[in-house]
Each structure stands twice: as C-alpha cells, then as structure tokens.
Amino acid sequence: MGLCPTGSNDIVVDDVFVPEHRVLRERDMFNLDCPGHALNSEALYAIPFAQLFNRTVSTTSIGSLRRALNVFVETTRKKRTTYTGLSVASDPTIQKAVADVKLILSDLELRLAADLAELEARAVSGDWPIERRAELGHSTTAMVSRCVEAIDKLMLFSGGKAIYSGNVVQRAFLDIHCARAHVANNPYPYARNVGGLAFGFDNDCMDL
C-alpha cells in the first residue's frame, strides 16, 4: 500500500550458488572487519554499514513529509468550509497542526545534519564507542516514528478528498506508515538497547 519513496522492490533469485568471497557477514560489518575495509582507506568506508544503510530507509520519510506539508498548506489556503464558507486556513487547530509539523521537520533535519557530521568525524578519527553507536542508531530509527506522528496530523485535517487515490497527503501517509514497518525503523529494540547500555548491560544489537 506504500513504499513509493523508499525504492523497495521484491527480487526473486532461483537456483543460484553464492561463493564464499561474495558473502558479507553482519558481525564482520559491525566490527568493521570486512575485506573491503582493507582495500578502501577513505573515511567513507570506515563508517559502520548500518549507520549508513538504516538512514536510507528512514530519511526518505522526511522528504515525503516535507512535500506533504507544502501541498497541505497550499491546498488548505484555498479551501472554504462547506456550510459557512469560512476559510479553512483560519482554523486555529489547523494552524497549530501546521506549526507542530514544521517543528518536527526542523528537529529531524537538524538532527540528521548533526548525525551525518558526527559520522564523518568519527570515520576520520576511528573512534566508535558502542554507547554512541547505539545512540546514533536509535536517532536514525526514531525519525520515522516522528514522521508518522506528523503525517497523521496532516491527514486528519485533509478532508474527504484525502481518501481518494492520487492525493499527495494520502500518498505520504501510506508511504511513511509503510516505511515505519521496516525492521530498521522499529525504534523499540534500539531504544531498549540504549537504555540497557546506560544501566551497564552488554550491547545486544549488531545493527549499529
């Protein structure tokens, strides 16, 4: 029902054999100990795989939400209520919803920029403390839940036309909710791991 902005597709491969030199193990990626690390010395390749890959399935929701907000504001500006003819945009509840979504977008975009800058700096220094990797992983996956919260606000005030196929806000609503269904966008195990590390428990997540 969604996934248009995530680039997700099913691929079926029948009757094939994967040779050993084509295999990448998750633990090796977690430990930054893959064959490619020895061959590629640039800092980009020193960033843990999950810290980059997980962002490819989370940051698309930010762009989808941004477009939905722009379209919502533009279409709502022209709307009139059915019975009174008053401007829909003059409703303070809708105005607050727009303000809330703008704040969420600002928070997420600032956090993303800060996280990417930190990843770049750590790739150069080689400093990857597990506690910080866990926090960065949680930062990534929690983004989509914030986008769900925001797109739900816009959908709520988009009116009857939003239930028809082709509506931009509905498209974003479906795509963001589908993106949230991705295992890497489930914030609960990442949050629990961060909390566990704070209390002195061992890290139990390789997807960092």
Side-chain angles (χ1 to χ4, degrees), residues 155 158-171 174:
M155 188 67 179
S158 290
K161 289 186 178 180
I163 68 174
Y164 290 91
S165 298
N167 182 277
V168 172
V169 175
Q170 184 215 67
R171 179 74 272 156
L174 294 173

Side-chain angles (χ1 to χ4, degrees), residues 1-5 170-181:
M1 70 177 192
L3 296 179
C4 283
Q170 184 215 67
R171 179 74 272 156
F173 175 86
L174 294 173
D175 287 334
I176 292 171
H177 274 270
C178 283
R180 170 59 183 81

Side-chain angles (χ1 to χ4, degrees), residues 3 7-13:
L3 296 179
S8 296
N9 296 285
D10 289 334
I11 299 173
V12 178
V13 182

Side-chain angles (χ1 to χ4, degrees), residues 66 100-112:
R66 170 65 69 185
D100 289 344
V101 174
K102 287 172 72 70
L103 185 61
I104 288 173
L105 272 168
S106 178
D107 288 347
L108 293 179
E109 288 167 350
L110 286 171
R111 188 201 304 172
L112 177 61

